[in-house]
Amino acid sequence: MELIFFKMPNSNAKSHRGHPGGQEAGRRELVSRSLQSAQHCLENQDFGTAYAHYLLVLNLAPELKNDVRETFQFTLFKWAEELASLARIQDLFNCYEQALELFPNDEIICNSMGEHLFRMGFRDEAAGYFHKALKLNPDFADAKENFYRVANWLVERWHFIMLNDTNRNLIYQKAIQKVVRSGCRTVLDIGAGTGILRVSLVVTETVDAGLFGEGIVESLIHAWEHLLLQPKPKNQDIGTEDYGQVIPAGAIVFGMAVECKEIRRHHRVGVQEVACVHLAETVEFCSPTRASVNSEETIEPYTTEKLSRVPGGYMPLTEPFQAMTVDFNNLEELKSLATRKPCKFSVPVTQGGILDAIVVWFVLQLDDEHSLSTSPSEETCWEQAVYPVQGLPDYSVKPGDTVMMEVCCQDCYLRIQKISVLTSEYGMDIERENTLALGNEAELCSALASLQTTSTPDGMGQECMLESTEIALLNNVPYHECFNAAIGKVLSSLIPTRASLSMDIDGHDREMNFEKSQNKNSSYTTHDPLYVLDVSEGFSILPIIAGKLGPVKAYSSVEKEQHQIALNIISEANHFPKETLEFWLSHLEDENVVLQRPKSDKLWSIIILDVIETSGLIQQEVMEKAAISRCLLHSGGKIFPQYVVMYGMLVESQSLVLESAVQGTEPTLGFNIAPFINQFKVPVRVFLDLATLPCVPLSKPAELLRLDLMNPYLNSSNREIKVQVCKSGQVTAIPFWYHIHLDEDIYLDTSSDSSHWKQAAVVLDKPIQVQLGNELVLNIQHYKSNVSITVKQ
């Protein structure tokens, strides 16, 4: 079906033939026939022709707009999906422009237009349509959620934190004023616009936690070559207006080795066995920071943390050391940074512990008088750069050992690489790095002999890169043990006559005896397997856990080839028959139909869904996925989780306020920036650690919402709860988290210490003063996957 475009006749033009009454009758007849044709096309899923018929109807009979609005919207959306799948982008937007000419104040069409724009990368334009939809209907949940999402893309949350950092703003102001008073008249701010003149002063703050990550070196090289006056010659007394300079003038980079359990559990898999599943030694898991060394892509070699708020804290293992200095007013030095040979550092260990990371911060020297430090001990808008240590045979260090590393600036990034430990044992120094750790010459000879006589098995040393949240999930032992117990209970209920052969229904030992299952006399061989589908996000070993618990055909939805290879190796290490584990997406032509029957005559016994994002929010479209899943379940089958309970509490937190919106003109030194940037403020803060969030609890946790995936009739789209105040103060936010119930007895707490999930919070527009004993009424609205929390006063 091709899209039909046509020009409508001028409705004001007078007919030169026929009676006006006959013309009206003809119009009504054409409208009637077109409506019938549109309906017929919809029944046949010919959305393009149906859309053309509706366009004709609405242009001929505008009085029918309200009658056909919903059907027209449905037709438009279905036809737009078809056009998008055919990559007919211009036709898609033409359709929306026609629709908006007919319904200029339709918030649903505006929102849908924004969604298409957002998916195609036009985020600025998408924001405009979402904003318009919200103006038309401030309670439109979909538009609200979409606007918050695009606002996070357009204006990252650190902008608010940065603008609220009064000390940063004030020190920059003083440094600029000092230069201007000395005679500088032409100033260019790099990072806030486009410069086209030659100038005497460049001001920039294009620095990230790793100093170079926002391109400050490349920007300043270009500025010195094309924009700035010549730098001031040394030892010459020349007026300020006669030479060029940069604020900041330079920086000193510092580093320190630390022990930090939170960093460790996000970058190293620290378990050998998870819920009776043995993780093969031949699979080496690593995080993206390690993969960046050999990657063809430009990947940041570090992550970032606010060390003063990291859960569980951190322990310094060395004294801080000076890793690098850089002069931003020296063009030749800036040019040599990328080609300079790495500097080798040997840093003595002063405190015994586990070497988890090298953390980096810097002192930004604006001039010879003013400086800013991003040290963990300073309260600034910056986080610290974290270089996780990976690939060592042993991470323990003690006083007397030495941490070795190389420091360089490569691919626009500060790199801390080739981290190793020099330890003294058996009277000799041994360097401990990503190689065999050997104690003496006899061991070395033995190892060499074994290397010469032992062949490397297939799959040896298979590297598997996981995101840091996926590594944290793999380290989350309670998560896997809970699934192990809950899956075992379901399988026990579905195969009661056979359960006693291999399972303990109390959940203590449900591991399948595969030798018995493979025996021809085993009763397992007389029955078809049960089908388990895992559509949780990312790398997951839940299908393997399910496969160990009974006669199961487990399907994984992992997409990446290296993840599939790793799961196959783990399956083999656990003596799985090859047909036990299948990769479901390889069976499908379209990912959108991932929830479907495994075979024409089979249904799923268990479907595992991801309900909560690691950010702390409910997954998009999870209730729609649950509705489809319920239709695909075998009798007695279950969706995991069965239901989710959201908890929240009242808190006073100035930190959350400062991270959510610019607070007046005081932090910005009198400049009225807040009204403009606060248009992009988002009331929901995500990726929070409640354990270390600076806040004062003003109430006990309260149950806010229950989402039942198995029994949706129990869900409420709107409820009010009363929360009693247990401490006087100002309510500024409502943090929330979840209990994810796999069944009535087994649940996961997303706020626990072992959780790979973070938490989120709703930040109020205005603080609410409360006294001990007061009650606040919270209104919780649930629509699709969106939840809004407001305080009734």
Side-chain angles (χ1 to χ4, degrees), residues 479 483 532-537 540 542 557 594-595 604 606-613 619-630 632-633 638-642 644 708-710 740-742 748 757:
Y479 172 92
F483 268 100
V532 175
L533 174 63
D534 177 17
V535 290
S536 54
E537 298 281 333
S540 170
L542 294 181
S557 63
V594 66
L595 289 170
W604 301 106
I606 295 173
I607 297 177
I608 302 169
L609 299 177
D610 246 345
V611 178
I612 307 300
E613 297 178 1
Q619 286 275 6
Q620 291 292 303
E621 299 181 348
V622 70
M623 299 310 293
E624 293 85 341
K625 290 178 182 176
I628 298 171
S629 299
R630 289 192 297 272
L632 300 172
L633 286 179
K638 293 286 179 67
I639 298 172
F640 285 153
Q642 182 176 322
V644 173
D708 200 306
L709 280 68
M710 287 292 291
I740 302 175
H741 284 261
L742 305 184
L748 298 157
W757 289 286

Side-chain angles (χ1 to χ4, degrees), residues 27-43 50 52-58 60-61 64 67-69 71-72:
R27 183 185 74 91
R28 287 199 301 267
E29 175 66 20
L30 181 56
V31 168
S32 177
R33 287 210 316 261
S34 294
L35 282 173
Q36 290 175 3
S37 297
Q39 187 61 40
H40 180 71
C41 291
L42 284 180
E43 291 169 0
H53 281 297
Y54 278 122
L55 276 185
L56 179 62
V57 168
L58 290 168
L60 288 174
L64 295 179
D67 296 330
V68 301
R69 180 190 294 262
T71 313
F72 175 75

Side-chain angles (χ1 to χ4, degrees), residues 12-14 19 41 127 160 178 222 258 280 323 339 377 415 419 429 441 452 522 526 560 562 675 679 693 778 784:
N12 295 321
K14 293 183 179 179
H19 192 274
C41 291
F160 297 108
K178 179 181 176 183
H222 181 269
V258 300
T339 56
S377 61
R415 293 184 180 273
I419 302 169
D429 288 335
E441 291 183 14
Q452 291 170 352
S522 171
T526 63
K560 296 179 181 177
Q562 61 170 306
Q679 292 183 69
L693 175 70
L778 303 185
K784 293 184 178 179

